[in-house]
Amino acid sequence: MRFISLDLLRFIAAASVAIPHLVIYFFPLENSVVLEIVTSLAVEIFFVLSGFVLSPFLARIFESTTDVGKNLCIFLVRRWMRTLPLYFLALISFIILFSGKLDLTALQYLLFLQNFYWSPPTFDYFMVSWSLAIEEWFYILFPAFIALIFKICSTTRLIRHRSSVFLWGTIVFILIITLLRLASDVPSENWGFDVRRVVLFRIDSIGFGILLYLFRAVIYKTPISVIVATIAAILVYVFAGYGRILANTSHIIESRVIIFFATAVFSSAMLSLFLRLEDVIAGSVKNFSLWGGRVSYGIYLLHIPVATAVGEGTDL
C-alpha cells in the first residue's frame, strides 16, 4: 500500500536538508549549528522512512518458506535499480565540479566504502553520500543477518512463528549495532564524522523503521496530541543534546546511545503523525505529495551541484 502522506514527508525531509545547505552556501553564517541539526534530523527521518517502506517486502520474504534466496536477490536488484542510477549521475556531477579526477576517493564513493568503518575522506566533496552508503549496506547486511537468525532458529528448531523471529532478529540487530557503537574507541571530538556518519555505527537507524512497521497498529491507537507532544519533547532534548555533544561535554552514553534512540523516536513520531493525517493529505495535496515523493531523492543528491553551478554562473 502506498501512503501519500509519506511521500509528502519524504519531500519535506529532502527540503529540510537542501534549504539549510543552500542558506549556508549563499548566506554564510557565523553559527550554523541550528541549521546543521535540522539537516541531521531530516536524514534521520529518511532512515526510518526507508525501514518502514521496506518492511512489508522483507517480512514477506522471511515469513515465507520458499525461494527466500531468490526473493532476496530480486529485492536487492529492485533497490539498486531504484537508487543507483541517480546516485551515479550525482557522483559524476560532484567529480566534475569539485574533484576533476578519478582517484581512490572516487572509487570509495563508487563502492560505498567512503564511511564504512571509518570517517569519510579528508576531501569529502560528495558529503551527502554518507547516508546513501548506510542505506545500501543495510540492504545487504540486514537481510544477511536475518537469514542467519532464521538459519540458527531452524537448526535448533526454535521457529514456530516466523514473524516473531523476524521481529526479534530486528531487535537483536539494533542491539548489536548499538553495542558496537558504544564499545568503539573512536574519539568523541569528531563525533559527527567518526560516529554519526559511519555505516557500521548507524545501520541500526533503518531498523527502527522496521520496528515501527511491525508495531504500526499502535500508531492508530495513540492520540495525535500524544504524538505531537512526543515530537516537541524530543526536539527540545535533541537540540540540547546536540549542543552538549558538539561542545564535547556529553557523556558517552548520551552521544553513542541516547541521542540516536531519541532521533529514532522523533522520526518514528513524525511518520506516525503523517500516517494519521493520511486521509487529509491524500484529499487535499495528493498531486503535490506524489510529485514531492518523486523528486525528493534527486533534491537530496543534486542540490549542492545545482547550487554550485548557479553560484558560479551568477557570481554569488
Side-chain angles (χ1 to χ4, degrees), residues 75-304:
F75 165 80
L76 279 174
V77 170
R78 287 179 174 175
R79 294 311 304 166
W80 287 335
M81 290 298 293
R82 188 178 182 89
T83 59
L84 295 187
L86 192 58
Y87 175 85
F88 292 144
L89 174 64
L91 175 57
I92 292 170
S93 301
F94 275 89
I95 290 174
I96 292 172
L97 284 169
F98 302 111
S99 173
K101 57 184 177 180
L102 297 174
D103 54 10
L104 179 60
T105 299
L107 181 62
Q108 287 180 310
Y109 291 135
L110 182 67
L111 300 177
F112 296 99
L113 291 173
Q114 64 269 39
N115 57 320
F116 184 73
Y117 192 52
W118 42 79
S119 57
T122 304
F123 179 34
D124 187 16
Y125 55 85
F126 193 7
M127 289 185 67
V128 297
S129 68
W130 70 271
S131 63
L132 274 301
I134 291 173
E135 294 262 0
E136 298 298 332
W137 279 106
F138 179 85
Y139 300 156
I140 298 172
L141 296 178
F142 178 76
F145 177 82
I146 296 298
L148 177 61
I149 293 294
F150 270 93
K151 183 67 175 178
I152 293 173
C153 291
S154 177
T155 302
T156 57
R157 298 181 180 180
L158 292 177
I159 290 185
R160 293 183 180 178
H161 303 288
R162 298 184 70 87
S163 58
S164 297
V165 176
F166 183 66
L167 167 62
W168 285 105
T170 303
I171 293 173
V172 172
F173 180 82
I174 292 173
L175 288 175
I176 289 174
I177 300 302
T178 301
L179 291 174
L180 176 65
R181 190 167 60 237
L182 184 60
S184 67
D185 58 355
V186 175
S188 58
E189 289 79 8
N190 201 16
W191 171 84
F193 287 100
D194 293 338
V195 179
R196 188 175 73 85
R197 299 182 181 181
V198 172
V199 169
L200 286 187
F201 293 156
R202 296 308 321 283
I203 50 177
D204 62 319
S205 56
I206 303 176
F208 283 100
I210 291 178
L211 291 184
L212 181 65
Y213 178 83
L214 295 177
F215 289 101
R216 62 192 181 281
V218 177
I219 294 172
Y220 300 98
K221 297 178 182 178
T222 304
I224 290 181
S225 59
V226 173
I227 296 174
V228 172
T230 300
I231 292 171
I234 294 295
L235 276 177
V236 171
Y237 165 73
V238 167
F239 274 87
Y242 266 73
R244 286 189 294 270
I245 292 169
L246 295 176
N248 201 25
T249 60
S250 174
H251 191 278
I252 190 172
I253 297 295
E254 179 177 50
S255 63
R256 302 291 176 88
V257 179
I258 298 175
I259 195 71
F260 295 118
F261 179 77
T263 55
V265 173
F266 165 79
S267 302
S268 299
M270 287 293 294
L271 262 72
S272 300
L273 176 61
F274 275 72
L275 287 171
R276 291 295 299 273
L277 298 175
E278 172 70 19
D279 292 340
V280 175
I281 294 171
S284 57
V285 288
K286 178 179 179 179
N287 291 335
F288 177 80
S289 300
L290 290 172
W291 171 82
R294 287 194 297 269
V295 302
S296 58
Y297 185 45
I299 289 174
Y300 181 78
L301 282 177
L302 294 168
H303 67 277
I304 292 177

Side-chain angles (χ1 to χ4, degrees), residues 20 22-36:
L22 297 182
V23 171
I24 293 170
Y25 181 80
F26 287 112
F27 310 101
L29 304 172
E30 290 186 7
N31 188 349
S32 59
V33 172
V34 171
L35 294 179
E36 291 168 1

Side-chain angles (χ1 to χ4, degrees), residues 5-27:
S5 57
L6 297 188
D7 283 315
L8 180 60
L9 179 60
R10 187 177 289 108
F11 173 76
I12 292 173
S16 297
V17 173
I19 292 174
H21 281 172
L22 297 182
V23 171
I24 293 170
Y25 181 80
F26 287 112
F27 310 101

